[in-house]
Amino acid sequence: MQVYGVTGWKNAGKTGLMERLVAEFTSRGLRVSTLKHAHHKVDVDQPGRDSYRHREAGAHQVLLASENRWALMTELRGGQEPSLSDLLAQLEPVDLVLIEGYKREPHPKIEAWRSDADNPLIAPDDPTIRAVATDTPLDLDRPQFDLDDTVAIADFITKETGL
């Protein structure tokens, strides 16, 4: 299972790039999963639903299943956030896992960067960033791609991972 990341600051275009890359890789016949890190409180459940009530009552895990999908929710209840490697181990084997966020982890990444977002570039100080997807040319010592050139970015990731 190959792992490749898309990182960058808020409003850099990470999620849009992730969405386009998933569509591109799946159109090439690859099985793709994603893992996204959130810095804010996230809840995939809704107050009042049975599964929410199970969690509120104190369940450590709640598995919600239907004919279309299933989701396993684990409550940390003050425990430590799982490591990236622990989370990756929870995924079923696929060809490629695309990771959004986790900018300080050692896996290879592409940085999404938009000039109007007014954030510093991460790449100059981070060798795990193998390329930058940007909306403007940059003076940088690694490959650059137009942020919207999904095919070229996917080709680069394919070459990097050997897929």
Side-chain angles (χ1 to χ4, degrees), residues 66-140:
S66 74
E67 65 186 44
N68 297 317
R69 70 191 51 89
W70 64 271
L72 177 62
M73 296 171 277
T74 302
E75 290 296 316
L76 298 178
R77 306 216 184 274
Q80 188 172 354
E81 181 179 351
S83 69
L84 178 58
S85 61
D86 288 342
L87 293 170
L88 286 168
Q90 298 296 314
L91 296 175
E92 292 180 9
V94 293
D95 299 310
L96 177 64
V97 178
L98 290 172
I99 299 172
E100 182 177 342
Y102 288 97
K103 62 176 75 73
R104 289 171 181 73
E105 293 291 328
H107 62 281
K109 305 168 197 69
I110 287 193
E111 179 176 358
W113 191 83
R114 282 196 177 128
S115 57
D116 65 356
D118 201 30
N119 290 311
L121 207 60
I122 301 167
D125 298 320
D126 187 344
T128 67
I129 296 176
R130 305 282 212 270
V132 176
T134 179
D135 62 355
T136 187
L138 301 166
D139 183 18
L140 197 59

